[in-house]
Structures are given as structure tokens and as C-alpha cells.
Amino acid sequence: MAEVGMRPPASPLRRRALRALRWLFTPLRPDDYLELINPLWSTRELRGRVERVEPERGGAATVLIRPGFDWVGHRPGQYVRLGVVIDGVHHWRAYSLTSSPDRADGLISVTPKRVDGGVVSPFLVDRVHPGEVVRLGEVEGSFTLPDRLDRGLLFVTAGSGITPVMSMLRHLAPGPGLRDVVHVHSAREADGVTFGDELAALDEQHQGFRLELRITGEDGRFTPADLDTLCPDWRERETYACGPGELLDALQSHWKRHGDAGRLHHERFQPIVGGEDAEGSGGTVRFAHRNLDADCPPGTPILVAGENAGVDMPFGCRVGVCHTCVLPIREGRIRDLRTNAVSEKHNEIVRTCVHGAEGRVTVEL
Ligand code: FES
């Protein structure tokens, strides 16, 4: 069976050498000197240099980046937070990595689609130039392939939902990974399919890979019931889906009613946070410096609990990607409202927009 999703090793020698430099310069900061030699040699934060920008169909562009020495690699399907300075203002956004982790040249890529009226995506698609240095946050995400492929795969994607799956396909293509794969992809227009040529080439070159392209402007919208025709053995396959929330909701309820929900893996660009079905009993958030207690019912983020109590809370995306809302938790149990996982915190930083209180929680604010 194919081994997939292995982490590529970073160069430990280079990493050790730069860490040693950090120790030698302490308490001064070596970065000011290192940056004169190479702007990617920061010991404080991970950076990358834009190498190329390749236009893609559908108003997107692939930005190829050479990451700095501390890049530890990614698993296909994960995303990275990207920091850019636009007109003097720092912005952070999360993008799925579209590159295979096995690229021989060591480059990584993201493929944002231009959002009209947006700030970061138009910058990355139209304005960023080779040589520009960007900041790289942590690689995150559990939308990843299993280590062993024991059964056939089904990918269901729509629009920009192709991006994490493209990393998976590029990773699988050189080995035996595409020997039994069906990919149902929806796009609005035939000439606007991002990665359309590469997907068609995979379909042509790999006998075990079948692309079912649904052009919604001509064929109508894809529904889960269509799978009985497009991929009759869908129940037997490990399925990876990424696309708009309505599509993922429909797939989830279809798998619950007619399949095995455990075999459907999905990636939401907008996570579901809390809501009516929220678990847990909620709690109280104490804002220590304000000497104020805020009620935090089940499914309510600490951010919202603070706002409801009149606290001026920091926030950005409100969906757990930008880290603008982070605050130190002095003590208490918190619930991740996306996964329902509960953890005990003691002087740790958390994202208040996606965590609720589980009992009494004290925040340093
Ligand atoms: S992570 Fe962006 S506001 Fe919380």
C-alpha cells in the first residue's frame, strides 16, 4: 500500500546553526545582522520569499514561495497563515497549500482567488512581485490523507475548494496513489476552472483517476444524489470534500442518512462555531484587569461573551484563522467550539473567537 502524507524533513543542520546564532547574540537580536545577508534568515519568525506568480483561470493566481530555514513541511490538504504588508499595514490570511510537499525545488505555493472588494487576495493575485518577503504562520489543518491508502478515494470539490485537494493530487500522482480515485469537481464556467488543464492531464495520464467535471452554468448544480450515477460505489470510498458551506452541509447529511459518516472528511473555509447544537454547559469569563464577570453560555465564544459584557475585545476574522483575537488565559477549562475538545489552560494564549468557557475561566484583560 502507498505510504502517503509523510512529513518532508527540514535541514536540521541549518536550523541548528541559526539557533546557535540566536544564543550567541543574546541579549541582542541577531536578526538585524542576519537580514543584511538574507531576509529569510530570521530567528524570530518564519518568512518566505515570493519566487514567481503564475496566473490561473477563474481569477486566481499561484504564488510560489521559497520558505525560510525553519519550514517544517506540510501534509497535503493543510493550510498556512500568510502575512503581507499592504500599503504599510500588516494583514494575515489563511490559504490552503496547493503544492505537493515533495517538490524537488523546495518551493511551496498558495492559489488565492481574487475577491472583488477584498484586500489581500487582489494584492496576491495582481500586485505581489517576485522577491517580496512574506511572513509565514503555522501550518494547520486536519484535512489530510491517511498514512495508508487501504481503499479507493473520492474527492468532491467546488470552486476554490479545489485548492487543498490539488496538493493531495500532486502528492499522489507520482506514485501509485491515483490507482483508484474519482474526482467530482464543480465550476461555474468551463473556461474558469482553476487547475483545469492539470486536472484534465491527470485524467488522461492516469488510468485509475477519473475526473467528473460539472459546469454548473450548463449542467446545473451538483447534488449528493448525483453520486449514484457519477460514482456508484461512493459508500465504499474514503471521501474528501471541500467547497461552499451548503455543499458540505448537503454531503454531511447525505452521508449520515445513506452512507458511513466516518468516511466523509471535509474542509470548511468558514468553520461552524457553536450554534444551537453546541455541547457543554458554558461558564463564566472573568476579565481580571477589569474586575468584570461575563456570562458565557454553551456555544458562545469568549470573544462574544466579552463583547456582550461591554469589553473592547480585539478581533479580526472571527473564524479562527488570523490570530488577532488571542488573549492569555490565566486559568480555566475552555472548549474548542469547532471540534468540541475541552482542555485545561494555565497561562496560555488562546483564540477567543473559537473557544468558549467550560466553567470559570480567567482572562488576562
Ligand atoms: S482568529 Fe481571527 S479573530 Fe480570532
Side-chain angles (χ1 to χ4, degrees):
M1 290 295 162
E3 296 285 341
V4 297
M6 303 297 290
R7 290 190 129 187
S11 161
L13 191 66
R14 239 170 128 196
R15 214 177 301 162
R16 272 204 301 274
L18 282 156
R19 288 208 174 109
L21 270 176
R22 177 163 40 196
W23 179 80
L24 280 173
F25 279 86
T26 303
L28 300 177
R29 288 175 11 172
D31 288 54
D32 298 335
Y33 303 98
L34 291 172
E35 281 173 20
L36 292 174
I37 309 167
N38 186 333
L40 303 189
W41 289 359
S42 167
T43 61
R44 276 200 315 268
E45 62 181 12
L46 181 58
R47 297 178 186 169
R49 183 195 291 114
V50 174
E51 294 272 315
R52 295 197 299 282
V53 181
E54 298 175 349
E56 304 280 358
R57 285 200 244 143
T62 290
V63 183
L64 288 131
I65 299 165
R66 179 166 306 287
F69 77 97
D70 240 354
W71 178 254
V72 294
H74 72 282
R75 290 172 68 104
Q78 290 189 303
Y79 59 87
V80 65
R81 289 189 310 120
L82 196 71
V84 291
V85 179
I86 305 173
D87 302 329
V89 180
H90 286 273
H91 298 268
W92 282 97
R93 293 290 186 278
Y95 291 105
S96 293
L97 286 148
T98 50
S99 47
S100 165
D102 324 304
R103 277 185 74 114
D105 61 8
L107 298 183
I108 58 171
S109 69
V110 297
T111 307
K113 179 178 174 164
R114 185 190 304 107
V115 176
D116 292 332
V119 177
V120 178
S121 65
F123 174 79
L124 290 173
V125 173
D126 301 319
R127 288 172 55 194
V128 78
H129 292 298
E132 189 130 357
V133 172
V134 297
R135 295 153 88 191
L136 298 169
E138 284 162 33
V139 171
E140 295 179 70
S142 53
F143 182 67
T144 55
L145 294 167
D147 286 339
R148 293 176 66 85
L149 293 179
D150 293 325
R151 58 179 72 241
L153 294 173
L154 167 62
F155 294 117
V156 182
T157 56
S160 296
I162 184 67
T163 50
V165 168
M166 205 61 222
S167 177
M168 294 178 178
L169 293 173
R170 286 169 167 166
H171 175 63
L172 294 171
L178 292 187
R179 69 185 183 287
D180 186 12
V181 177
V182 178
H183 186 176
V184 180
H185 180 59
S186 300
R188 210 169 292 157
E189 297 159 348
D191 59 0
V193 183
T194 305
F195 305 123
D197 293 342
E198 194 171 341
L199 292 172
L202 288 175
D203 188 45
E204 207 176 293
Q205 292 160 8
H206 295 267
Q207 254 195 344
F209 177 78
R210 180 160 54 86
L211 175 67
E212 294 287 349
L213 191 57
R214 171 69 66 109
I215 303 302
T216 55
E218 300 164 13
D219 311 326
R221 193 172 277 207
F222 162 83
T223 67
D226 297 335
L227 287 172
D228 289 338
T229 314
L230 296 173
C231 181
D233 64 348
W234 61 269
R235 288 176 186 80
E236 317 306 322
R237 293 172 179 270
E238 213 63 36
T239 298
Y240 291 81
C242 187
E246 316 86 71
L247 170 67
L248 300 181
D249 290 345
L251 289 170
Q252 268 186 301
S253 68
H254 195 70
W255 254 251
K256 252 185 222 163
R257 269 186 295 155
H258 306 291
D260 176 352
R263 289 203 185 141
L264 175 67
H265 315 270
H266 63 275
E267 176 78 320
R268 285 180 190 270
F269 291 134
Q270 299 283 315
I272 295 174
V273 177
E276 284 173 6
D277 301 330
E279 292 182 17
S281 49
T284 309
V285 181
R286 174 144 196 87
F287 291 94
H289 302 186
R290 286 164 173 72
N291 201 17
L292 178 84
D293 286 329
D295 190 28
C296 192
T300 304
I302 293 170
L303 168 64
V304 174
E307 288 175 335
N308 289 344
V311 180
D312 190 12
M313 301 286 287
F315 70 88
C317 67
R318 303 182 80 96
V319 290
V321 296
C322 72
H323 290 224
T324 309
C325 63
V326 295
L327 286 176
I329 301 287
R330 188 184 289 177
E331 59 187 353
R333 279 155 60 80
I334 60 165
R335 180 179 291 274
D336 187 324
L337 300 174
R338 301 160 301 177
T339 63
N340 272 319
V342 175
S343 56
E344 185 89 36
K345 297 291 173 197
H346 188 73
N347 294 326
E348 283 176 68
I349 300 282
V350 304
R351 281 169 275 181
T352 60
C353 70
V354 288
H355 288 97
E358 201 60 33
R360 190 167 174 79
V361 170
T362 305
V363 177
E364 295 283 3
L365 184 70

